[in-house]
Each structure stands twice: as C-alpha cells, then as structure tokens.
Amino acid sequence: MARISAVVLLALALVACGDDDGGTTPMNDAGGADGGGADAGGGTGDAGGGGGSDAGIEGDPFDAVQMAQVSLATTLCGCDYEAQGFASAEDCVLGNAGSTEARACDRAGWEAVSDEAAAETYFACQAHGARALSQCAADAECDAEALEECGGAECANPPEAIATAFLGAVAECVESTIVGTTASTCPEGETSSALGEAVFSGTTTLAGADLAGGTEECDGADAPDRAFRWTAPAAGTYVFDTIGSTFDTLLYLRAACDATENLACNDDVDVEAGNTRSRVMLTATEGQEVIVVVDGYSDVDAGRFVVNIAAATE
C-alpha cells in the first residue's frame, strides 16, 4: 500500500491510531479491548462527522476517539473475526488493539500540542467522526454493502504547528520506548525446523530497527524487527503467517541475515477485510535454511508476535 504524508498520517493516527487502510475495518490501535458502546467516550451531542466543532464531546477528545475505535473494532470483529484468522471475536479485538507502547506514544503526541484551542477543534472533529463511524457499523449489522456506506470523518487538515508538535513527540517517544538502541541478534535463538502454531514468538518492542523489507510493499525500515532461522524439514511448499500477532506486521524471508533480496514478502493478508497481519509462501528444498523476519508497517507498529508455519495444502 502507498505511504502517506505526515499530515495525513497524523489524521489517521488520531482516528485510526495506526491503521493503514483508512476504511471501515477494525482499527490497529483501538486503545484497548474494554470499550463500551458505539457512543463510548463522548458527550451527549451530535455524533456526526464533524465540521470542526467540539460540541457534544466532553472531556478529552483524544480519549473519545480511542473509545469509539474500540467500539468499532468490537462491532466489526463480531462480523468477520474468522475471515481475519482469529479463533474468536475477543481474540480479534485483542489482536487489533495494538501495543501499549504505541498508544503511549500517541498520547505523548497529543499532550505535546500547545495550541489548545486549535487542537481541541481538530481532535473533537476526529472524535465525532469516529463515533459516527462506530454507530454506523453497529447499525449496519454486518451487512457488507451497508458498511461501505459508512465512510469516516471529513475534517480539515490540522494546523501545521499541531502536526509538527504531535509527530515530533511521537518520534521522540518511539526512540525511547519502542525501537531499541542496539542492534538485534540475527538470527535470534536456535534454528528451528518445526511446523505448527507459534513456531517463533516474542515481542519486537525495543528490538533494533536493523532490517528493511527492501520493496515498496514491505518497507518497515523504521520499525523494530526480529529475525529467526528456519530449516525446511522436507522438500515442499510452506506457508508462514503472523496471525495472532498484536500489531500491523510485515513478514519477509531471506536466504541469510546479510542478504538484501527477499525470497518472499507480505504486508497485509487482506487489508480490505481488515487483516493487517502477514502471510507468505515458499517452495523449499529439504534442509534449505531461510531467515524469517518479523517487522512492523510503521515506526509505532511493534508488540507481541507469533509466526505460524504449515505445509501448504492443495
């Protein structure tokens, strides 16, 4: 998917908190799995798409956005958690909640904005839109065509000072709480030839941002990553995925740690269905070794991950 400008990223970060499809799918950093109804986190006013007014938003508009996104994720996960590869709707919500560190960095950005009046107007517009989208999704009752009509907030771009302060604070937070200051080991741990769920698992938080996917689809240069060595137990085609991870992953395979070309690479299994985990296939010879790299879509995409590996079925 195409990368987006800093100002647009700010808008998405505040509405979707890291989700990269801009649509009506479960949000990648929904702010937690304990949200309430579609009107959660707001006041008593109109939940419409907003024209820059903070009417009807009581308290912190940033929190109102977060709570509305929790509600949206809860609603949509109830409709399509199986399509996303989760065992239950609850797992889906948790899997789309993003990392605590990423939410903390979004909070740090919000608190760094000094132009309170302009920030309140902008954030409140985003909160209105998020609440309206959540309510629309609930009213759609899992009808795909109805969901497509929901749309999202139509808010003006934030003043440049707000964008600068927000993104600067997020970047500083990322450097201290998400990306590690030293290089990660490649490969991590022992070589494995296992098949099954969670062949590799752990967290990318505070790992080094050492590797990059090397293609437009699989970049990940600013996100922390982990790398593992896997050996094919027999000749055949194998499927690798990160279903069950808690953030928007990238997954790529290489012949060695110092290789710069990918044997396979994927960003999203199905972004249209809201599945921002990753899946790749590889045809290997018996005993062939590959480096399996788990990376993140953007610099705040980090957290707990699993890598599942299975023999492909016809």
Side-chain angles (χ1 to χ4, degrees):
M1 63 196 65
R3 297 292 170 176
I4 49 182
S5 69
V7 172
V8 175
L9 176 60
L10 171 59
L12 290 177
L14 303 183
V15 176
C17 296
D19 184 68
D20 54 21
D21 65 6
T24 58
T25 56
M27 298 306 165
N28 187 46
D29 191 7
D34 56 356
D39 200 35
T44 58
D46 178 18
S53 170
D54 63 353
I57 295 293
E58 297 175 356
D60 189 337
F62 182 89
D63 286 341
V65 172
Q66 299 286 306
M67 294 297 289
Q69 296 305 331
V70 171
S71 177
L72 179 64
T74 301
T75 298
L76 294 178
C77 279
C79 296
D80 64 2
Y81 68 88
E82 291 180 334
Q84 295 192 63
F86 293 99
S88 68
E90 290 76 13
D91 289 346
C92 173
V93 174
L94 290 172
N96 283 287
S99 69
T100 301
E101 294 83 1
R103 292 195 299 276
C105 287
D106 282 338
R107 166 58 63 184
W110 158 249
E111 293 177 346
V113 176
S114 60
D115 187 348
E116 294 184 6
E120 287 287 330
T121 297
Y122 177 73
F123 279 72
C125 177
Q126 300 288 359
H128 278 303
R131 289 169 56 194
L133 180 57
S134 179
Q135 184 63 61
C136 184
D139 293 342
E141 297 182 343
C142 300
D143 182 281
E145 292 185 2
L147 281 173
E148 290 179 0
E149 299 296 324
C150 288
E154 295 183 1
C155 302
N157 286 334
E160 184 176 355
I162 292 179
T164 299
F166 180 88
L167 294 173
V170 169
E172 183 176 348
C173 178
V174 165
E175 290 179 0
S176 61
T177 64
I178 294 182
V179 178
T181 57
T182 58
S184 302
T185 301
C186 182
E188 306 270 353
E190 300 294 327
T191 299
S192 175
S193 59
L195 301 176
E197 296 183 356
V199 172
F200 302 114
S201 63
T203 179
T204 61
T205 303
L206 294 180
D210 309 311
L211 302 170
T215 66
E216 183 176 355
E217 180 190 13
C218 291
D219 187 356
D222 297 325
D225 51 66
R226 298 286 187 188
F228 304 89
R229 179 179 284 122
W230 182 81
T231 302
T237 300
Y238 297 91
V239 180
F240 303 72
D241 70 58
T242 59
I243 300 297
S245 301
T246 63
F247 62 100
D248 186 348
T249 60
L250 301 179
L251 180 65
Y252 42 98
L253 308 180
R254 291 186 173 167
C257 287
D258 58 358
T260 57
E261 298 294 327
N262 298 322
L263 300 174
C265 177
N266 179 249
D267 178 5
D268 299 320
V269 171
D270 186 352
V271 70
E272 295 300 325
N275 191 343
T276 59
R277 305 319 179 256
S278 311
R279 179 184 294 130
V280 297
M281 297 182 68
L282 176 73
T283 299
T285 58
E286 182 176 0
Q288 180 178 345
E289 293 187 344
V290 296
I291 300 299
V292 181
V293 183
V294 182
D295 208 335
Y297 172 75
S298 71
D299 55 2
V300 296
D301 285 319
R304 298 185 304 278
F305 68 87
V306 294
V307 177
N308 312 303
I309 308 174
T313 57
E314 295 184 358

